[in-house]
Amino acid sequence: MPGTSPPRRRRALGASTALFVTLLAGCASYERSQLDLPAHRTALALRLEQAEPLDAFVDRLAARDTSTPEHFDPADGLSVREGEALALFYNPDLRLARLETGVDLATLEHAGAWDDPVLAFDGAEILSPAGVFQFGLSLGVTIPISGRLGVEKDRAGAVYQAGLARVIDAEWS
């Protein structure tokens, strides 16, 4: 810092060093953990069990529509209404459309979040007779003041509503 007094230079260097150490202390460190495949398999099986069963699908249809069967029992044969419910439930295109709508819902739930802060360090040795070491430190934080995050939430909500409309249209067709 040419033109500044030595005490001021020392204070600036001390303040920047303290800031750097504080930021460095706030960083998370890597911790190794062993992969637990049996626990992962168990968790996956639990998630698959928690998927909507056929009975819950029929109950959900019955709540919205009076043409669905009141009692669903495939052991006594299928009525036309039960066959329609089975066809809707096991249709691969409709299942895929419902899953994609679930992705749209997850996008809606996480829309409007702030970007993660970025800490960057750049050090490069400059080739010169004196061998000076030059470094740079930057911290990037996004502060949304433009309303972009609200627009992002609105857009994700519109995409989700359009996905629901596509699923309903596909089920009716």
Side-chain angles (χ1 to χ4, degrees):
M1 294 184 212
T4 60
S5 64
R8 193 169 188 193
R9 179 183 288 173
R10 273 188 255 134
R11 277 194 306 248
L13 182 61
S16 62
T17 303
L19 178 65
F20 177 71
V21 169
T22 302
L23 289 174
L24 193 60
C27 295
S29 60
Y30 172 75
E31 294 180 21
R32 288 183 64 168
S33 63
Q34 195 155 4
L35 186 61
D36 189 6
L37 288 178
H40 177 70
R41 183 173 290 135
T42 304
L44 180 63
L46 286 174
R47 280 198 309 267
L48 290 176
E49 288 174 5
Q50 292 172 355
E52 182 181 35
L54 180 59
D55 296 334
F57 178 73
V58 170
D59 292 341
R60 192 165 47 91
L61 281 180
R64 287 191 306 196
D65 187 11
T66 58
S67 66
T68 56
E70 293 176 14
H71 175 69
F72 186 80
D73 186 15
D76 66 354
L78 291 178
S79 68
V80 174
R81 289 180 180 177
E82 291 173 340
E84 182 182 4
L86 277 175
L88 285 174
F89 185 76
Y90 287 113
N91 185 317
D93 295 331
L94 293 177
R95 290 188 95 153
L96 185 63
R98 285 187 212 104
L99 289 173
E100 288 171 352
T101 304
V103 171
D104 293 339
L105 177 61
T107 303
L108 172 62
E109 290 171 351
H110 295 283
W114 287 24
D115 291 337
D116 291 336
V118 177
L119 176 65
F121 177 75
D122 182 23
E125 188 172 337
I126 309 247
L127 298 175
S128 66
V132 181
F133 185 77
Q134 187 178 39
F135 69 94
L137 179 69
S138 67
L139 174 66
V141 179
T142 302
I143 300 175
I145 57 173
S146 64
R148 175 185 58 85
L149 299 180
V151 171
E152 183 180 333
K153 280 189 92 70
D154 293 344
R155 181 184 178 281
V159 168
Y160 175 64
Q161 292 298 327
L164 283 178
R166 278 193 303 274
V167 168
I168 291 169
D169 183 48
E171 286 178 351
W172 275 100
S173 66

